[in-house]
Each structure stands twice: as structure tokens, then as C-alpha cells.
Amino acid sequence: DIVAALNGAAGAVPSIAALSDKRVLITAGPTREPIDPVRFLANRSSGRMGFAIAEAAARAGAQVTLVTGPSQLTAPRGVTRVDVETAEQMHREVLARAAQADLFIAAAAVADYRVAAPADQKVKKTETAQHLELVPNPDILRDVAALSDGPFTVGFAAETQAIVDNARRKLTDKGLDLIAANAVGEQQGFDVSDNTLQVLWSDGQATLGPAPKTQIASELIELIGARLDATG
Amino acid sequence: DIVAALNGAAGAVPSIAALSDKRVLITAGPTREPIDPVRFLANRSSGRMGFAIAEAAARAGAQVTLVTGPSQLTAPRGVTRVDVETAEQMHREVLARAAQADLFIAAAAVADYRVAAPADQKVKKTETAQHLELVPNPDILRDVAALSDGPFTVGFAAETQAIVDNARRKLTDKGLDLIAANAVGEQQGFDVSDNTLQVLWSDGQATLGPAPKTQIASELIELIGARLDATG
């Protein structure tokens, strides 16, 4: 397949020279954006893809830190886990570590917006319509990609339409080294175990899957290893 | 304790005559209200209290149906589970069964509001603030309590302030037979295993706990059995 052709590897991830002892920073899961003490905005991310990538990177020989939103999953053995809840917390924990990382993989489904003014007390129900004012969250991926001398930066694009076009625009706009795009929606992408990824970089493209997320994660880590070798 | 004094029982829930072979309908968990195919509004309910009440009611000899929003929990043995996601779905499944029930216990943390116009496609991020228009959800508890010849109806009130006052107002306003009120917020009520309940009915009041939710659930079922006996 295309990954094997790129780096000569076959089967499950062995130690990958390009990743051996490298510092790899990965985000996973959803974020929760509070509305009041009990309510929040969230999304359907289970964290499975990010956790699977963390496991594949650790098996490839990397030193892995996983910054994750709320997830029922257990961190892979040997991985340093940092738990966060909101996008702003994730931004802070990632930016505190990104300059020292060799590779950053943003697999979290970070909320684009947070509630402008979360309530201190539970909001009482009324019979009328309500408006919730939302403001944009900081863009973790863009801020890491913009670091001078920053890590090789890999983004994800969860799209419901025009998947490859939207992903290539995001690759260019945010100054990423590589982007992995998948289709999401009912029964696709989030909260299921099988997946297909369209992987794009400045002068190339590959398709991974359909396959279980654990296998997709191993193939993605192999592909990233090959790109790290190629870009030096 | 007050529960033992009410019905002469002691220790873990034995078969309770007032509940034996009675049809008990219970709701549990949060609801999720879609914003678009991947995002939603939700709340911190784990479903633990509703699942524990379902288990206690089944052990007391009742025929239990549990209508639950998204929860990681496993339904207790012998309980019929009905999975739903939104408040409107929960309303439909409950109202389809309520007229045939002898007892209804509304332990779910139902979203008060849903998004007025959920998007068919994932909403793209922009740099400007957004408004989310919310409309009130149907009131499951009020609609069950309003049924002529409906079940004995038990509500929950999750409050962050003026707990007993707010709960007694809800008891009267919605025409409930009994209400169980608890304090929620950071580290209280939701997503934790210990709990305290203030239980109110037209001419009485009791405090259960602080204790693990499983014990609170057993004591609440005993108390409800005593109230069913007292009200005939």
C-alpha cells in the first residue's frame, strides 16, 4: 500500500527511526464549554482516534504527552496524560509544551466557540426563547503552527461535505505540515470505531482505510514518520 | 431513621408491598440537544441516580422501565431499557408509557431548551461572535402529572441555591406527588457518587443522606413505598 511504499515498513508499527525518542504532543477528545454550573456545549468525539495515535506513537518509540478533553478512555501505557475540560484550558496546556515538542498532532475535536458569559448559578427555565451568545475559541492548531522553530504540525479536519477541498484549504490557511481529513455526521467519524482518512500535505496525498481506528492510527504514524524523514 | 420510622423496614430494600408487581417508569441521564451533526448541548448528569433508583425499584419487586439519555452505565438486571438522545424523544417515549404506569420517577436531567434550528451540516468557524437561538423543550414531568388517572409522580429538582424553597414551588406548580431536591454545581450532585436529598411532599419532608447514590436510591424507594401506602 501507499504507506508501505513510502517507508518500506510492513504490518504493525515497529520502532520508527524518525520518531525514536522524539517528543510528541497529541490532543484528543472533545472539549466542554460551560453554559452554567451544570450545562455545557460539547461534541460527539469519543477520543478514540487521539488515544489510538498516542498508543501508536509510543509503540514507535516516541515520548508521548496526551492532552485530552473529557473521555472514558484509559491512557496508553507509557503516555503522559494531561486532562482538560475547555478549549481555553487545552490551548494553555498545549502552548506550554509545544515549543519543546518535535511533533504536534491535533486530534481533539476542540469547540470552535465558547459561551460568552457562562452563568454562576443554574439558569432557571422560562417559557420564552433564549439566546446564547458564543465567541470564538483560540485556535490551538494555528497558534502551534505559527511558532518559530515549532514542531512538525499535523491537523485533523472533520468535515460533513467537500472533504478534500476543505482540508486542503485548512492545510494552507493554518500553515500545517500535514492534515488528516475524515467525514463525520450520523454514524461516521465520531463515536464509532472504523474510519477513513484522507491525508494531505503540500505536494502529496494518501488515503488510509476504511479500517479500525487503531489500524488507521498506526498507518498515520508510519506516514508521519516518512514525511519527517522526507522533510528533514 | 426517618424512613425506617415511616414504614418499619430496616437495612437494604426488601420486597416492598406497595411496589410489588407495580409498573414503575423511571427516566435517567442527561439529554443531548443537537446544534449540528457533531455538536450538542448537554449537562453533567451521569445517569447514576436514575439507574440506582431503577435497581432499587426492581429489587423491591416492581416491573421497571428505564428511559435513559446517553449514559455509560449498564441497565440493572430485569429492567427494560429504552435509549433516547433528546428531550423530545424522551417526552415521546415516556408519554407513550405513562398512562399504564403506577409510579413515575423523573430522575433524568432533561435539557430545558433545545436549539431552535439545528444545522444539517457542520457549522464552519468564523471569527465573529455567534448567537444560538434556544426554545423551551416540552415539560415531561408536568405533562405526566397532568394526566387524569396518571401515575404517582415523583420529580427531581437539581438546584444551585434556595434548594428547599425552589423544590417546594416546583412540587406545587407542576402538581407532583413528591419531589427530591439536591444541590448541584462543581463537585456536587452530578457525576459524583455521594449525594444528599431533601424529599418534600404536600404535608411532609425528609432528608436522605449524605450517602452513596445507591443507598440514597434504596431509601428513596422505601419512602415512596410508604407514601404510596399512605395516599392509597
Side-chain angles (χ1 to χ4, degrees), chain A residues 26 42 48 69 105 119 126 174 221:
Chain A
I26 299 170
R48 279 201 202 95
I105 305 175
T126 65
K174 298 199 180 188
I221 285 295

Side-chain angles (χ1 to χ4, degrees), chain A residues 1 3 11-13 48-49 52-53 55-56 59 193-195 197 207-223:
Chain A
D1 67 11
V3 175
V13 191
R48 279 201 202 95
M49 179 57 82
I53 293 169
E55 181 162 15
R59 274 194 281 118
S193 50
D194 266 37
N195 212 349
L197 287 185
T207 301
L208 307 182
K213 284 185 180 174
T214 50
Q215 184 182 331
I216 296 277
S218 294
E219 292 182 9
L220 180 63
I221 285 295
E222 288 186 72
L223 176 51

Side-chain angles (χ1 to χ4, degrees), chain A residues 32 34-45 72 85 111-113 120-139 142 157-161 166 184-186 190-191, chain B residues 32 34-45 72 85 111-113 120-139 142 157-161 166 184-186 190-191:
Chain A
R32 285 182 179 175
I35 300 171
D36 67 21
V38 298
R39 302 181 177 97
F40 54 83
L41 304 175
N43 63 62
R44 295 180 189 280
S45 171
Q72 300 287 331
E85 181 153 317
D112 289 332
Y113 298 93
D120 288 338
Q121 301 288 344
K122 187 183 172 196
V123 179
K124 306 296 284 184
K125 186 178 186 180
T126 65
E127 290 310 308
T128 55
Q130 298 266 317
H131 289 270
L132 205 54
E133 193 184 348
L134 306 178
V135 294
N137 270 323
D139 189 326
R142 185 185 297 275
E159 304 288 349
T160 50
Q161 56 189 341
N166 280 331
V184 296
E186 296 294 325
F190 282 164
D191 214 15
Chain B
R32 285 182 178 174
I35 299 171
D36 67 21
V38 298
R39 301 182 178 97
F40 55 82
L41 304 175
N43 63 62
R44 295 180 189 279
S45 171
Q72 299 286 330
E85 181 153 316
D112 289 332
Y113 298 94
D120 289 337
Q121 302 288 342
K122 188 184 171 195
V123 179
K124 306 296 284 183
K125 186 178 186 179
T126 65
E127 289 310 308
T128 55
Q130 299 264 319
H131 289 271
L132 205 55
E133 193 185 347
L134 307 178
V135 295
N137 270 323
D139 189 327
R142 186 185 296 275
E159 305 287 349
T160 52
Q161 56 189 343
N166 280 330
V184 297
E186 296 294 326
F190 282 167
D191 213 15

Side-chain angles (χ1 to χ4, degrees), chain A residues 66-231:
Chain A
L66 179 65
V67 180
T68 181
S71 172
Q72 300 287 331
L73 300 174
T74 302
R77 188 202 298 252
V79 166
T80 302
R81 176 180 185 150
V82 179
D83 284 303
V84 299
E85 181 153 317
T86 68
E88 289 184 303
Q89 289 165 2
M90 186 175 279
H91 183 268
R92 190 161 50 240
E93 297 297 337
V94 166
L95 270 291
R97 292 164 174 83
Q100 288 75 48
D102 301 298
L103 167 62
F104 174 59
I105 305 175
V110 181
D112 289 332
Y113 298 93
R114 68 180 178 279
V115 177
D120 288 338
Q121 301 288 344
K122 187 183 172 196
V123 179
K124 306 296 284 184
K125 186 178 186 180
T126 65
E127 290 310 308
T128 55
Q130 298 266 317
H131 289 270
L132 205 54
E133 193 184 348
L134 306 178
V135 294
N137 270 323
D139 189 326
I140 299 171
L141 192 53
R142 185 185 297 275
D143 289 352
V144 172
L147 291 173
S148 62
D149 204 27
F152 186 93
T153 298
V154 177
F156 271 75
E159 304 288 349
T160 50
Q161 56 189 341
I163 295 164
V164 170
D165 286 352
N166 280 331
R168 190 161 290 283
R169 187 174 312 116
K170 193 169 171 182
L171 177 78
T172 307
D173 284 355
K174 298 199 180 188
L176 309 181
D177 295 298
L178 188 141
I179 194 162
N182 64 339
V184 296
E186 296 294 325
Q187 311 299 328
Q188 280 192 94
F190 282 164
D191 214 15
V192 294
S193 50
D194 266 37
N195 212 349
T196 301
L197 287 185
Q198 304 290 338
V199 185
L200 314 175
W201 55 96
S202 62
D203 56 354
Q205 182 167 345
T207 301
L208 307 182
K213 284 185 180 174
T214 50
Q215 184 182 331
I216 296 277
S218 294
E219 292 182 9
L220 180 63
I221 285 295
E222 288 186 72
L223 176 51
I224 290 170
R227 294 305 308 152
L228 280 168
D229 271 344
T231 58

Side-chain angles (χ1 to χ4, degrees), chain B residues 6-67:
Chain B
L6 277 167
N7 69 357
V13 192
S15 176
I16 295 175
L19 289 173
S20 181
D21 288 326
K22 289 289 161 44
R23 282 162 299 190
V24 178
L25 184 61
I26 300 170
T27 64
T31 64
R32 285 182 178 174
E33 308 298 324
I35 299 171
D36 67 21
V38 298
R39 301 182 178 97
F40 55 82
L41 304 175
N43 63 62
R44 295 180 189 279
S45 171
S46 63
R48 279 200 202 96
M49 181 55 81
F51 278 65
I53 292 169
E55 181 162 16
R59 274 194 281 118
Q63 299 171 28
V64 179
T65 298
L66 180 64
V67 180

